[in-house]
Amino acid sequence: MSTHQAVHVESAGAALKLVDVETTSPPRDHVRLAVSACGICGTDRAFVSGGFPNLTWPLTPGHEIAGTIAELGPGVDNYAVGDRVAVGWFGGHCGKCVPCRKGDFINCRNIQVPSWQYPGGYAESVTIPANALARIPDGLSLAEAAPMGCAGVTTYHALRETRAVPGDRVAILGIGGLGHLGVQFARAMGFETIAIARGADKAEDAHALGAHHYIDSTANDVGKAMRGLGGASVVLGAVGSATAMAETVGGLLPRGELIAIGISAEPLSISPTQLIMAGLSVTGHASGTARDIEETMQFAVLSGVRTRIQERPLDQAAEAYAAMDQGRARYRMVLTV
């Protein structure tokens, strides 16, 4: 029996442990990847803690996966063994539900998410639906490509779907795993970029990432500070705080957009008056499809946008996860195999 190593979480809140598991051949329309790298996303907390419904234990986390195809399942004829591919939050769609029939694959009613519907990428090997694969361009290493499957596509795709045009002011709320990419993408897309974060110590990083302006949310009324810069057409809310997102609304220009990508269960306190009087809109944005991931990586190669990563070997998964969980990552922990 062939085996590979994978991280197991035995039950909600349990420790991350490296174990040997059986390696099986992929079923129809799937491929087996030899994992080279897997990013550690903040959303992994919700998996490890049992925060999503219908989880199967033991659970292997990880939905920012990059590797090479090791084995093809029956029916897969558009990929070859050795191809470099990435997989993100979007881990496959059914092709049969109404959203899929409309081409809205990211909202598939039966969407497959690595670590939720099947074991994730904190492992040496993972089996993935072929329709979830994104080809990695030559200009990205596998470790650089892994976070593009979630953090990268979420920020880039959210920004390009706004009404903002080059020259408009766009604010990125939060400089973390998502926000540090959001600042880079906003600058590369031609926006006058405002970075908003907690503490004066983040200013240097914000400017190094490409921000034209920095607002310390602990020392300023954020909406007032944004208005002092002329206001913003878009705020990309890349923090897990509904309160922090709501504080930016006063700095939006008429017909401005607040795009929420940071996960939070707390209510977003925005009054209808605020929305109506300035014609504002609030939108939730969830990641992107395999093709969106490919386009994100292609833009990153063209523009020079890169995830700032800290690599750790798979056998240090627990320590790397703790660095993310405790806010010590600068800015993405990536497990390498």
Side-chain angles (χ1 to χ4, degrees):
M1 179 181 72
S2 178
T3 64
H4 65 272
Q5 290 193 306
V7 171
H8 271 186
V9 180
E10 295 293 336
S11 60
L16 280 66
K17 295 183 178 179
L18 194 61
V19 300
D20 291 323
V21 299
E22 183 179 359
T23 306
T24 59
S25 292
R28 173 167 289 277
D29 299 326
H30 288 62
V31 304
R32 184 173 65 81
L33 301 187
V35 178
S36 296
C38 185
I40 298 180
C41 177
T43 310
D44 290 348
R45 290 190 193 97
F47 289 108
V48 172
S49 66
F52 287 105
N54 305 316
L55 295 173
T56 301
W57 307 95
L59 178 147
T60 297
H63 60 267
E64 292 186 341
I65 308 166
T68 55
I69 295 177
E71 190 175 357
L72 302 172
V76 179
D77 58 6
N78 54 333
Y79 292 94
V81 170
D83 283 354
R84 301 189 331 144
V85 293
V87 180
W89 176 267
F90 177 82
H93 65 277
C94 73
K96 299 176 182 178
C97 67
V98 171
C100 281
R101 291 172 64 195
K102 290 182 175 181
D104 188 13
F105 302 134
I106 193 63
N107 288 309
C108 170
R109 291 176 181 169
N110 304 298
I111 192 170
Q112 303 286 292
V113 179
S115 69
W116 195 347
Q117 281 74 30
Y118 55 84
Y122 293 15
E124 294 178 324
S125 177
V126 63
T127 296
I128 304 285
N131 63 21
L133 301 177
R135 298 181 187 276
I136 299 172
D138 290 340
L140 287 180
S141 71
L142 289 162
E144 291 172 329
M148 291 293 173
C150 180
V153 70
T154 300
T155 51
Y156 172 68
H157 190 40
L159 286 169
R160 72 174 181 173
E161 291 212 322
T162 69
R163 294 187 293 271
V165 297
D168 284 351
R169 277 181 298 277
V170 168
I172 310 300
L173 174 63
I175 306 177
L178 290 169
H180 90 284
L181 282 166
V183 169
Q184 292 181 73
F185 279 128
R187 177 66 181 250
M189 295 165 81
F191 301 133
E192 183 179 341
T193 304
I194 304 169
I196 306 169
R198 295 177 58 82
D201 59 317
K202 298 286 184 71
E204 184 176 351
D205 265 8
H207 290 299
L209 290 164
H212 298 92
H213 313 282
Y214 179 75
I215 297 173
D216 174 3
S217 63
T218 65
N220 295 274
D221 177 307
V222 172
K224 183 177 180 180
M226 290 169 62
R227 292 194 300 274
L229 295 171
S233 297
V234 172
V235 170
L236 185 67
V239 296
S241 169
T243 300
M245 291 188 203
E247 289 172 351
T248 68
V249 172
L252 284 170
L253 292 167
R255 302 198 180 278
E257 302 170 78
L258 169 59
I259 312 298
I261 61 173
I263 297 293
S264 172
E266 67 177 308
L268 186 59
S269 298
I270 300 173
S271 73
T273 299
Q274 287 176 290
L275 299 178
I276 292 167
M277 296 304 290
L280 307 180
S281 61
V282 180
T283 305
H285 178 86
S287 194
T289 65
R291 181 55 189 165
D292 295 324
I293 296 170
E294 289 180 342
E295 292 173 352
T296 298
M297 292 189 290
Q298 289 164 0
F299 185 83
V301 170
L302 289 171
S303 63
V305 172
R306 293 293 186 276
T307 314
R308 291 192 177 183
I309 61 175
Q310 293 171 276
E311 298 182 39
R312 297 291 186 272
L314 184 62
D315 62 7
Q316 294 181 19
E319 293 87 344
Y321 175 86
M324 177 280 296
D325 193 37
Q326 297 164 12
R328 293 185 282 109
R330 291 294 180 271
Y331 281 94
R332 205 47 147 203
M333 304 304 298
V334 174
L335 299 176
T336 55
V337 180

PDB file of all heavy atoms in Angstrom, residues 137-169:
ATOM      1  N   PRO A 137       1.651  30.114 -14.511  1.00  0.00           N
ATOM      2  CA  PRO A 137       2.572  30.641 -15.531  1.00  0.00           C
ATOM      3  C   PRO A 137       4.024  30.464 -15.102  1.00  0.00           C
ATOM      4  O   PRO A 137       4.335  30.331 -13.914  1.00  0.00           O
ATOM      5  CB  PRO A 137       2.195  32.118 -15.621  1.00  0.00           C
ATOM      6  CG  PRO A 137       1.578  32.439 -14.304  1.00  0.00           C
ATOM      7  CD  PRO A 137       0.890  31.189 -13.843  1.00  0.00           C
ATOM      8  N   ASP A 138       4.908  30.481 -16.082  1.00  0.00           N
ATOM      9  CA  ASP A 138       6.328  30.235 -15.829  1.00  0.00           C
ATOM     10  C   ASP A 138       6.954  31.248 -14.873  1.00  0.00           C
ATOM     11  O   ASP A 138       7.915  30.944 -14.181  1.00  0.00           O
ATOM     12  CB  ASP A 138       7.112  30.237 -17.148  1.00  0.00           C
ATOM     13  CG  ASP A 138       6.788  29.022 -18.011  1.00  0.00           C
ATOM     14  OD1 ASP A 138       6.281  28.025 -17.459  1.00  0.00           O
ATOM     15  OD2 ASP A 138       7.040  29.089 -19.225  1.00  0.00           O
ATOM     16  N   GLY A 139       6.418  32.449 -14.818  1.00  0.00           N
ATOM     17  CA  GLY A 139       7.031  33.495 -14.016  1.00  0.00           C
ATOM     18  C   GLY A 139       6.824  33.381 -12.523  1.00  0.00           C
ATOM     19  O   GLY A 139       7.364  34.187 -11.764  1.00  0.00           O
ATOM     20  N   LEU A 140       6.037  32.413 -12.068  1.00  0.00           N
ATOM     21  CA  LEU A 140       5.784  32.237 -10.643  1.00  0.00           C
ATOM     22  C   LEU A 140       6.347  30.913 -10.159  1.00  0.00           C
ATOM     23  O   LEU A 140       6.180  29.879 -10.817  1.00  0.00           O
ATOM     24  CB  LEU A 140       4.279  32.253 -10.340  1.00  0.00           C
ATOM     25  CG  LEU A 140       3.521  33.567 -10.412  1.00  0.00           C
ATOM     26  CD1 LEU A 140       2.049  33.338 -10.063  1.00  0.00           C
ATOM     27  CD2 LEU A 140       4.109  34.612  -9.477  1.00  0.00           C
ATOM     28  N   SER A 141       6.996  30.934  -9.001  1.00  0.00           N
ATOM     29  CA  SER A 141       7.392  29.685  -8.370  1.00  0.00           C
ATOM     30  C   SER A 141       6.146  29.035  -7.775  1.00  0.00           C
ATOM     31  O   SER A 141       5.103  29.682  -7.581  1.00  0.00           O
ATOM     32  CB  SER A 141       8.424  29.944  -7.275  1.00  0.00           C
ATOM     33  OG  SER A 141       7.807  30.571  -6.168  1.00  0.00           O
ATOM     34  N   LEU A 142       6.245  27.764  -7.431  1.00  0.00           N
ATOM     35  CA  LEU A 142       5.103  27.072  -6.835  1.00  0.00           C
ATOM     36  C   LEU A 142       4.742  27.666  -5.486  1.00  0.00           C
ATOM     37  O   LEU A 142       3.562  27.799  -5.154  1.00  0.00           O
ATOM     38  CB  LEU A 142       5.413  25.582  -6.724  1.00  0.00           C
ATOM     39  CG  LEU A 142       5.448  24.852  -8.077  1.00  0.00           C
ATOM     40  CD1 LEU A 142       6.187  23.522  -7.959  1.00  0.00           C
ATOM     41  CD2 LEU A 142       4.038  24.625  -8.601  1.00  0.00           C
ATOM     42  N   ALA A 143       5.733  28.065  -4.702  1.00  0.00           N
ATOM     43  CA  ALA A 143       5.452  28.676  -3.397  1.00  0.00           C
ATOM     44  C   ALA A 143       4.787  30.040  -3.564  1.00  0.00           C
ATOM     45  O   ALA A 143       3.913  30.415  -2.773  1.00  0.00           O
ATOM     46  CB  ALA A 143       6.740  28.813  -2.592  1.00  0.00           C
ATOM     47  N   GLU A 144       5.179  30.801  -4.584  1.00  0.00           N
ATOM     48  CA  GLU A 144       4.540  32.088  -4.853  1.00  0.00           C
ATOM     49  C   GLU A 144       3.125  31.907  -5.368  1.00  0.00           C
ATOM     50  O   GLU A 144       2.236  32.719  -5.089  1.00  0.00           O
ATOM     51  CB  GLU A 144       5.344  32.878  -5.883  1.00  0.00           C
ATOM     52  CG  GLU A 144       6.691  33.387  -5.398  1.00  0.00           C
ATOM     53  CD  GLU A 144       7.520  33.994  -6.509  1.00  0.00           C
ATOM     54  OE1 GLU A 144       7.395  33.552  -7.681  1.00  0.00           O
ATOM     55  OE2 GLU A 144       8.310  34.902  -6.211  1.00  0.00           O
ATOM     56  N   ALA A 145       2.907  30.838  -6.139  1.00  0.00           N
ATOM     57  CA  ALA A 145       1.608  30.615  -6.761  1.00  0.00           C
ATOM     58  C   ALA A 145       0.546  30.174  -5.764  1.00  0.00           C
ATOM     59  O   ALA A 145      -0.639  30.514  -5.921  1.00  0.00           O
ATOM     60  CB  ALA A 145       1.736  29.579  -7.875  1.00  0.00           C
ATOM     61  N   ALA A 146       0.929  29.420  -4.741  1.00  0.00           N
ATOM     62  CA  ALA A 146      -0.057  28.827  -3.837  1.00  0.00           C
ATOM     63  C   ALA A 146      -1.034  29.860  -3.263  1.00  0.00           C
ATOM     64  O   ALA A 146      -2.261  29.675  -3.371  1.00  0.00           O
ATOM     65  CB  ALA A 146       0.648  28.042  -2.737  1.00  0.00           C
ATOM     66  N   PRO A 147      -0.580  30.970  -2.660  1.00  0.00           N
ATOM     67  CA  PRO A 147      -1.538  31.922  -2.081  1.00  0.00           C
ATOM     68  C   PRO A 147      -2.387  32.649  -3.125  1.00  0.00           C
ATOM     69  O   PRO A 147      -3.410  33.257  -2.768  1.00  0.00           O
ATOM     70  CB  PRO A 147      -0.639  32.913  -1.323  1.00  0.00           C
ATOM     71  CG  PRO A 147       0.641  32.180  -1.086  1.00  0.00           C
ATOM     72  CD  PRO A 147       0.812  31.324  -2.305  1.00  0.00           C
ATOM     73  N   MET A 148      -1.982  32.609  -4.391  1.00  0.00           N
ATOM     74  CA  MET A 148      -2.777  33.259  -5.425  1.00  0.00           C
ATOM     75  C   MET A 148      -4.132  32.565  -5.611  1.00  0.00           C
ATOM     76  O   MET A 148      -5.080  33.158  -6.118  1.00  0.00           O
ATOM     77  CB  MET A 148      -2.021  33.284  -6.756  1.00  0.00           C
ATOM     78  CG  MET A 148      -0.817  34.208  -6.772  1.00  0.00           C
ATOM     79  SD  MET A 148      -1.303  35.938  -6.641  1.00  0.00           S
ATOM     80  CE  MET A 148       0.301  36.727  -6.471  1.00  0.00           C
ATOM     81  N   GLY A 149      -4.235  31.303  -5.180  1.00  0.00           N
ATOM     82  CA  GLY A 149      -5.487  30.568  -5.331  1.00  0.00           C
ATOM     83  C   GLY A 149      -6.600  31.052  -4.421  1.00  0.00           C
ATOM     84  O   GLY A 149      -7.768  30.739  -4.662  1.00  0.00           O
ATOM     85  N   CYS A 150      -6.261  31.808  -3.376  1.00  0.00           N
ATOM     86  CA  CYS A 150      -7.286  32.364  -2.494  1.00  0.00           C
ATOM     87  C   CYS A 150      -7.023  33.845  -2.252  1.00  0.00           C
ATOM     88  O   CYS A 150      -7.746  34.690  -2.743  1.00  0.00           O
ATOM     89  CB  CYS A 150      -7.359  31.589  -1.180  1.00  0.00           C
ATOM     90  SG  CYS A 150      -8.607  32.225  -0.042  1.00  0.00           S
ATOM     91  N   ALA A 151      -5.969  34.172  -1.511  1.00  0.00           N
ATOM     92  CA  ALA A 151      -5.693  35.577  -1.190  1.00  0.00           C
ATOM     93  C   ALA A 151      -5.522  36.411  -2.453  1.00  0.00           C
ATOM     94  O   ALA A 151      -6.031  37.539  -2.549  1.00  0.00           O
ATOM     95  CB  ALA A 151      -4.452  35.672  -0.312  1.00  0.00           C
ATOM     96  N   GLY A 152      -4.804  35.865  -3.437  1.00  0.00           N
ATOM     97  CA  GLY A 152      -4.534  36.613  -4.659  1.00  0.00           C
ATOM     98  C   GLY A 152      -5.779  36.865  -5.476  1.00  0.00           C
ATOM     99  O   GLY A 152      -6.109  38.009  -5.810  1.00  0.00           O
ATOM    100  N   VAL A 153      -6.499  35.797  -5.801  1.00  0.00           N
ATOM    101  CA  VAL A 153      -7.681  35.949  -6.655  1.00  0.00           C
ATOM    102  C   VAL A 153      -8.773  36.733  -5.937  1.00  0.00           C
ATOM    103  O   VAL A 153      -9.510  37.503  -6.572  1.00  0.00           O
ATOM    104  CB  VAL A 153      -8.209  34.580  -7.132  1.00  0.00           C
ATOM    105  CG1 VAL A 153      -8.825  33.781  -5.999  1.00  0.00           C
ATOM    106  CG2 VAL A 153      -9.215  34.749  -8.273  1.00  0.00           C
ATOM    107  N   THR A 154      -8.895  36.576  -4.626  1.00  0.00           N
ATOM    108  CA  THR A 154      -9.942  37.287  -3.898  1.00  0.00           C
ATOM    109  C   THR A 154      -9.746  38.797  -4.007  1.00  0.00           C
ATOM    110  O   THR A 154     -10.699  39.548  -4.263  1.00  0.00           O
ATOM    111  CB  THR A 154      -9.966  36.860  -2.426  1.00  0.00           C
ATOM    112  OG1 THR A 154     -10.229  35.451  -2.362  1.00  0.00           O
ATOM    113  CG2 THR A 154     -11.049  37.594  -1.658  1.00  0.00           C
ATOM    114  N   THR A 155      -8.518  39.267  -3.839  1.00  0.00           N
ATOM    115  CA  THR A 155      -8.262  40.710  -3.889  1.00  0.00           C
ATOM    116  C   THR A 155      -8.282  41.236  -5.320  1.00  0.00           C
ATOM    117  O   THR A 155      -8.936  42.239  -5.612  1.00  0.00           O
ATOM    118  CB  THR A 155      -6.928  41.048  -3.207  1.00  0.00           C
ATOM    119  OG1 THR A 155      -5.887  40.209  -3.724  1.00  0.00           O
ATOM    120  CG2 THR A 155      -7.020  40.832  -1.713  1.00  0.00           C
ATOM    121  N   TYR A 156      -7.589  40.557  -6.227  1.00  0.00           N
ATOM    122  CA  TYR A 156      -7.505  41.035  -7.603  1.00  0.00           C
ATOM    123  C   TYR A 156      -8.875  41.028  -8.283  1.00  0.00           C
ATOM    124  O   TYR A 156      -9.290  42.017  -8.899  1.00  0.00           O
ATOM    125  CB  TYR A 156      -6.521  40.172  -8.399  1.00  0.00           C
ATOM    126  CG  TYR A 156      -6.501  40.462  -9.882  1.00  0.00           C
ATOM    127  CD1 TYR A 156      -6.010  41.669 -10.369  1.00  0.00           C
ATOM    128  CD2 TYR A 156      -6.978  39.528 -10.808  1.00  0.00           C
ATOM    129  CE1 TYR A 156      -5.991  41.942 -11.732  1.00  0.00           C
ATOM    130  CE2 TYR A 156      -6.961  39.794 -12.160  1.00  0.00           C
ATOM    131  CZ  TYR A 156      -6.472  40.997 -12.625  1.00  0.00           C
ATOM    132  OH  TYR A 156      -6.460  41.265 -13.976  1.00  0.00           O
ATOM    133  N   HIS A 157      -9.581  39.907  -8.166  1.00  0.00           N
ATOM    134  CA  HIS A 157     -10.872  39.777  -8.848  1.00  0.00           C
ATOM    135  C   HIS A 157     -11.902  40.734  -8.257  1.00  0.00           C
ATOM    136  O   HIS A 157     -12.737  41.289  -8.986  1.00  0.00           O
ATOM    137  CB  HIS A 157     -11.344  38.325  -8.746  1.00  0.00           C
ATOM    138  CG  HIS A 157     -12.523  37.994  -9.588  1.00  0.00           C
ATOM    139  ND1 HIS A 157     -12.701  38.461 -10.869  1.00  0.00           N
ATOM    140  CD2 HIS A 157     -13.616  37.214  -9.320  1.00  0.00           C
ATOM    141  CE1 HIS A 157     -13.828  37.989 -11.375  1.00  0.00           C
ATOM    142  NE2 HIS A 157     -14.409  37.242 -10.441  1.00  0.00           N
ATOM    143  N   ALA A 158     -11.844  40.949  -6.930  1.00  0.00           N
ATOM    144  CA  ALA A 158     -12.765  41.910  -6.322  1.00  0.00           C
ATOM    145  C   ALA A 158     -12.527  43.316  -6.861  1.00  0.00           C
ATOM    146  O   ALA A 158     -13.481  44.035  -7.195  1.00  0.00           O
ATOM    147  CB  ALA A 158     -12.596  41.898  -4.803  1.00  0.00           C
ATOM    148  N   LEU A 159     -11.262  43.717  -6.966  1.00  0.00           N
ATOM    149  CA  LEU A 159     -10.947  45.066  -7.445  1.00  0.00           C
ATOM    150  C   LEU A 159     -11.344  45.254  -8.906  1.00  0.00           C
ATOM    151  O   LEU A 159     -11.881  46.303  -9.280  1.00  0.00           O
ATOM    152  CB  LEU A 159      -9.458  45.354  -7.265  1.00  0.00           C
ATOM    153  CG  LEU A 159      -8.997  45.617  -5.832  1.00  0.00           C
ATOM    154  CD1 LEU A 159      -7.474  45.621  -5.756  1.00  0.00           C
ATOM    155  CD2 LEU A 159      -9.568  46.940  -5.309  1.00  0.00           C
ATOM    156  N   ARG A 160     -11.088  44.250  -9.732  1.00  0.00           N
ATOM    157  CA  ARG A 160     -11.378  44.448 -11.162  1.00  0.00           C
ATOM    158  C   ARG A 160     -12.872  44.423 -11.462  1.00  0.00           C
ATOM    159  O   ARG A 160     -13.286  44.845 -12.537  1.00  0.00           O
ATOM    160  CB  ARG A 160     -10.639  43.413 -12.007  1.00  0.00           C
ATOM    161  CG  ARG A 160     -11.158  41.988 -11.930  1.00  0.00           C
ATOM    162  CD  ARG A 160     -10.428  41.108 -12.917  1.00  0.00           C
ATOM    163  NE  ARG A 160     -10.904  39.728 -12.890  1.00  0.00           N
ATOM    164  CZ  ARG A 160     -10.527  38.787 -13.748  1.00  0.00           C
ATOM    165  NH1 ARG A 160      -9.661  39.088 -14.706  1.00  0.00           N
ATOM    166  NH2 ARG A 160     -10.992  37.559 -13.657  1.00  0.00           N
ATOM    167  N   GLU A 161     -13.695  43.954 -10.523  1.00  0.00           N
ATOM    168  CA  GLU A 161     -15.139  43.936 -10.738  1.00  0.00           C
ATOM    169  C   GLU A 161     -15.829  45.188 -10.200  1.00  0.00           C
ATOM    170  O   GLU A 161     -17.038  45.330 -10.328  1.00  0.00           O
ATOM    171  CB  GLU A 161     -15.750  42.687 -10.104  1.00  0.00           C
ATOM    172  CG  GLU A 161     -15.360  41.402 -10.818  1.00  0.00           C
ATOM    173  CD  GLU A 161     -16.447  40.351 -10.770  1.00  0.00           C
ATOM    174  OE1 GLU A 161     -17.118  40.245  -9.729  1.00  0.00           O
ATOM    175  OE2 GLU A 161     -16.635  39.651 -11.779  1.00  0.00           O
ATOM    176  N   THR A 162     -15.067  46.117  -9.618  1.00  0.00           N
ATOM    177  CA  THR A 162     -15.667  47.370  -9.168  1.00  0.00           C
ATOM    178  C   THR A 162     -15.862  48.308 -10.354  1.00  0.00           C
ATOM    179  O   THR A 162     -15.411  48.031 -11.475  1.00  0.00           O
ATOM    180  CB  THR A 162     -14.777  48.067  -8.125  1.00  0.00           C
ATOM    181  OG1 THR A 162     -13.573  48.536  -8.761  1.00  0.00           O
ATOM    182  CG2 THR A 162     -14.422  47.121  -6.977  1.00  0.00           C
ATOM    183  N   ARG A 163     -16.494  49.443 -10.084  1.00  0.00           N
ATOM    184  CA  ARG A 163     -16.692  50.465 -11.124  1.00  0.00           C
ATOM    185  C   ARG A 163     -15.508  51.423 -11.207  1.00  0.00           C
ATOM    186  O   ARG A 163     -15.501  52.334 -12.047  1.00  0.00           O
ATOM    187  CB  ARG A 163     -17.976  51.245 -10.847  1.00  0.00           C
ATOM    188  CG  ARG A 163     -19.255  50.419 -10.964  1.00  0.00           C
ATOM    189  CD  ARG A 163     -20.498  51.288 -10.836  1.00  0.00           C
ATOM    190  NE  ARG A 163     -20.645  51.854  -9.502  1.00  0.00           N
ATOM    191  CZ  ARG A 163     -21.281  51.260  -8.502  1.00  0.00           C
ATOM    192  NH1 ARG A 163     -21.822  50.054  -8.676  1.00  0.00           N
ATOM    193  NH2 ARG A 163     -21.388  51.854  -7.318  1.00  0.00           N
ATOM    194  N   ALA A 164     -14.508  51.262 -10.356  1.00  0.00           N
ATOM    195  CA  ALA A 164     -13.361  52.164 -10.351  1.00  0.00           C
ATOM    196  C   ALA A 164     -12.556  52.039 -11.639  1.00  0.00           C
ATOM    197  O   ALA A 164     -12.441  50.953 -12.215  1.00  0.00           O
ATOM    198  CB  ALA A 164     -12.465  51.871  -9.152  1.00  0.00           C
ATOM    199  N   VAL A 165     -12.002  53.163 -12.073  1.00  0.00           N
ATOM    200  CA  VAL A 165     -11.156  53.200 -13.263  1.00  0.00           C
ATOM    201  C   VAL A 165      -9.789  53.748 -12.856  1.00  0.00           C
ATOM    202  O   VAL A 165      -9.661  54.413 -11.813  1.00  0.00           O
ATOM    203  CB  VAL A 165     -11.782  54.066 -14.381  1.00  0.00           C
ATOM    204  CG1 VAL A 165     -13.102  53.478 -14.837  1.00  0.00           C
ATOM    205  CG2 VAL A 165     -11.970  55.510 -13.910  1.00  0.00           C
ATOM    206  N   PRO A 166      -8.742  53.478 -13.652  1.00  0.00           N
ATOM    207  CA  PRO A 166      -7.410  53.992 -13.309  1.00  0.00           C
ATOM    208  C   PRO A 166      -7.437  55.489 -13.021  1.00  0.00           C
ATOM    209  O   PRO A 166      -8.060  56.265 -13.746  1.00  0.00           O
ATOM    210  CB  PRO A 166      -6.578  53.658 -14.553  1.00  0.00           C
ATOM    211  CG  PRO A 166      -7.231  52.416 -15.092  1.00  0.00           C
ATOM    212  CD  PRO A 166      -8.703  52.618 -14.862  1.00  0.00           C
ATOM    213  N   GLY A 167      -6.778  55.870 -11.935  1.00  0.00           N
ATOM    214  CA  GLY A 167      -6.779  57.257 -11.490  1.00  0.00           C
ATOM    215  C   GLY A 167      -7.711  57.508 -10.320  1.00  0.00           C
ATOM    216  O   GLY A 167      -7.540  58.482  -9.587  1.00  0.00           O
ATOM    217  N   ASP A 168      -8.708  56.633 -10.134  1.00  0.00           N
ATOM    218  CA  ASP A 168      -9.606  56.757  -8.985  1.00  0.00           C
ATOM    219  C   ASP A 168      -8.865  56.393  -7.701  1.00  0.00           C
ATOM    220  O   ASP A 168      -7.891  55.635  -7.724  1.00  0.00           O
ATOM    221  CB  ASP A 168     -10.816  55.826  -9.136  1.00  0.00           C
ATOM    222  CG  ASP A 168     -11.844  56.345 -10.127  1.00  0.00           C
ATOM    223  OD1 ASP A 168     -11.710  57.498 -10.577  1.00  0.00           O
ATOM    224  OD2 ASP A 168     -12.782  55.581 -10.451  1.00  0.00           O
ATOM    225  N   ARG A 169      -9.368  56.920  -6.589  1.00  0.00           N
ATOM    226  CA  ARG A 169      -8.810  56.544  -5.283  1.00  0.00           C
ATOM    227  C   ARG A 169      -9.506  55.292  -4.770  1.00  0.00           C
ATOM    228  O   ARG A 169     -10.738  55.224  -4.732  1.00  0.00           O
ATOM    229  CB  ARG A 169      -8.944  57.688  -4.264  1.00  0.00           C
ATOM    230  CG  ARG A 169      -7.843  58.730  -4.362  1.00  0.00           C
ATOM    231  CD  ARG A 169      -8.023  59.821  -3.325  1.00  0.00           C
ATOM    232  NE  ARG A 169      -9.275  60.551  -3.519  1.00  0.00           N
ATOM    233  CZ  ARG A 169      -9.433  61.542  -4.377  1.00  0.00           C
ATOM    234  NH1 ARG A 169      -8.406  61.943  -5.129  1.00  0.00           N
ATOM    235  NH2 ARG A 169     -10.592  62.139  -4.492  1.00  0.00           N
TER     236      ARG A 169
END
